[in-house]
């Protein structure tokens, strides 16, 4: 089980590099292991056995691999399972409308509760290459869209708490859009 690095590790604050497609065996294996990690983290027995915190998203920099790869394994609010293991995900368009997780966000690289709402785009269109090397363009909303934005932020060295907007803090500098 690859170890998740924790806040303070410089890799979490760097910009990850594009993955060359066709992907190397090593990159494919890393992405496969990231998805396996999420499955294990959500399975009570294996999570208990390996002492894993459950997660619904993981970005390669979190296991100290500075490459643009993410894994998402989420049962959305309608009970549909969304499983994505992607190279080079890119938000190519988004709604003006914002949303947030009402209980705030957690992160496998942050071993503390950080209260506060994290503004996210309500709907996004993501282009990426799948682990099977297909180019896809997917429109996302709800919890899945939020997880994708959280994980793509990791590829740009952004942590969820960078985006928490404290009230009465008009002087907090705005965070550059992840929409590059
Ligand atoms: C929907 N629950 C809330 O909103 C939420 C609710 C309360 C508090 C906070 C702080 C919340 N926030 C939050 N809760 C999660 N989990 C809820 C529990 N779950 C899980 C737990 C047990 C088994 C299986 C699973 Cl699946 C694992 C995932 N995950 C994220 N994030 C932010 S985006 C990436 C994603 C991530 O994987 N973080 C590690 N935020
Ligand atoms: Ni995270």
């Amino acid at each position: 089980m690859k170890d998740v690095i924790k806040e303070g590790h410089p890799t979490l604050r760097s910009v990850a590099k594009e993955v060359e497609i066709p992907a190397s065996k090593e990159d494919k294996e890393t992405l496969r292991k990231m998805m396996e990690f999420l499955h294990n983290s959500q399975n009570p027995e294996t999570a208990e056995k390996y002492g894993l915190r459950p997660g619904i998203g993981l970005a390669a920099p979190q296991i100290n691999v500075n490459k643009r790869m993410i894994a998402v394994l989420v049962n959305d609010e309608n009970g549909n399972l969304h499983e994505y293991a992607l190279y080079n995900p890119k938000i190519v368009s988004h709604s003006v409308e914002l949303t947030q997780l009402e209980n705030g966000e957690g992160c496998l690289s942050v071993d503390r509760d950080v209260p506060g709402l994290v503004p996210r785009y309500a709907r996004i269109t993501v282009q990426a290459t799948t682990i099977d090397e297909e180019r896809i363009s997917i429109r996302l909303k709800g919890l899945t869209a939020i997880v994708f934005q959280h994980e793509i932020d990791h590829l740009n060295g952004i942590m969820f708490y960078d985006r928490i907007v404290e009230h009465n803090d008009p002087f907090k500098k705005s965070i550059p859009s992840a929409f590059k």
Side-chain angles (χ1 to χ4, degrees):
M1 208 57 59
K2 286 184 171 280
D3 289 330
V4 172
I5 60 174
K6 304 300 179 181
E7 51 182 336
H9 191 301
T11 303
L12 284 175
R13 285 304 192 181
S14 60
V15 177
K17 293 172 190 55
E18 288 264 316
V19 173
E20 291 269 310
I21 304 298
S24 66
K25 272 179 65 65
E26 184 193 14
D27 287 343
K28 181 164 185 164
E29 186 54 20
T30 300
L31 186 50
R32 200 191 56 71
K33 282 209 180 308
M34 287 166 60
M35 183 52 80
E36 185 186 29
F37 178 96
L38 291 180
H39 279 283
N40 288 339
S41 80
Q42 293 184 21
N43 175 307
E45 288 78 47
T46 47
E48 168 78 23
K49 183 176 168 199
Y50 292 108
L52 303 178
R53 267 181 60 199
I56 49 183
L58 187 71
Q62 293 184 271
I63 52 169
N64 203 19
V65 172
N66 214 359
K67 294 189 176 183
R68 302 185 82 79
M69 301 191 276
I70 65 169
V72 173
L73 181 64
V74 56
N75 278 291
D76 69 14
E77 48 274 26
N78 306 321
N80 306 314
L81 179 67
H82 299 260
E83 181 165 355
Y84 295 98
L86 302 173
Y87 301 113
N88 308 321
K90 184 176 170 56
I91 296 172
V92 293
S93 70
H94 60 78
S95 59
V96 172
E97 185 192 355
L98 301 176
T99 185
Q100 71 251 328
L101 290 179
E102 63 184 9
N103 298 300
E105 296 189 6
C107 178
L108 295 176
S109 296
V110 179
D111 288 336
R112 59 194 171 100
D113 291 337
V114 182
L117 298 178
V118 183
R120 299 290 186 185
Y121 299 124
R123 289 173 303 285
I124 57 175
T125 302
V126 172
Q127 285 180 2
T129 299
T130 70
I131 195 164
D132 302 322
E133 317 248 340
E134 286 150 15
R135 288 288 300 154
I136 59 167
S137 177
I138 42 180
R139 296 165 57 126
L140 302 166
K141 62 184 183 343
L143 178 57
T144 310
I146 291 171
V147 178
F148 264 73
Q149 290 171 76
H150 177 115
E151 303 313 332
I152 291 171
D153 268 355
H154 276 304
L155 304 181
N156 297 317
I158 298 170
M159 300 294 281
F160 73 89
Y161 43 73
D162 299 341
R163 294 186 180 280
I164 291 175
V165 184
E166 283 86 23
H167 298 295
N168 312 323
D169 185 357
F171 302 106
K172 187 177 179 66
K173 66 178 174 52
S174 65
I175 300 279
S177 158
F179 177 51
K180 294 223 179 336

